[in-house]
Amino acid sequence: QSNSVNVILEKQCGDSILNLALRNEVLSPFKIISVSPNPMTGDLLNLKYLSRVNGVVSLGIYDVSGVEVKRIVSGVQIASGEHNISNDISDIPSGTYWCKFDLNGRTEVRSFVILK
């Protein structure tokens, strides 16, 4: 998850004061770009993500009670860059789920819905 720092600078310009606001973004090592389609009516989950670092990836699908219903990727080494993962989810019933993505011990979660 990214943090940001806001900095306000004031500069005297003649008879007026110029206020400058700067935002410094601290970038996360990865970002989930999309989980699609959402809602899902077919059997194929597509996850698109950007990794700014090389690392080890794990990806699981969890129900609303926090129980893992499917492990898609476990401990796979990846290079930095944009990646796509596709997986058959035909064995998962309709409902709301969480896609939990881990890279080097950092986690991002995205919700999606399956409609059958």
Side-chain angles (χ1 to χ4, degrees):
Q1 302 205 353
S2 67
N3 299 318
S4 64
V5 178
N6 291 316
V7 179
I8 305 292
L9 300 174
E10 289 188 351
K11 172 89 174 154
Q12 186 72 38
C13 294
D15 292 334
S16 58
I17 295 176
L18 176 64
N19 290 310
L20 300 173
L22 303 175
R23 185 174 175 159
N24 181 21
E25 290 286 337
V26 179
L27 298 177
S28 173
F30 69 92
K31 176 183 179 185
I32 295 176
I33 297 170
S34 65
V35 176
S36 64
N38 193 9
M40 291 184 198
T41 55
D43 294 332
L44 193 62
L45 167 76
N46 295 299
L47 174 75
K48 187 175 187 179
Y49 68 94
L50 172 67
S51 176
R52 294 180 180 92
V53 297
N54 298 340
V56 177
V57 170
S58 294
L59 173 64
I61 296 176
Y62 295 78
D63 65 17
V64 292
S65 63
V67 174
E68 184 177 84
V69 295
K70 186 163 191 169
R71 174 58 57 161
I72 295 175
V73 176
S74 184
V76 174
Q77 183 72 38
I78 61 149
S80 63
E82 194 170 291
H83 299 271
N84 293 294
I85 297 174
S86 295
N87 195 267
D88 180 11
I89 57 163
S90 60
D91 55 334
I92 300 176
S94 295
T96 301
Y97 295 90
W98 297 95
C99 183
K100 181 181 172 192
F101 181 86
D102 294 298
L103 175 66
N104 296 340
R106 303 232 11 211
T107 301
E108 187 170 327
V109 178
R110 188 73 62 90
S111 68
F112 66 97
V113 175
I114 298 174
L115 299 173
K116 294 190 176 187

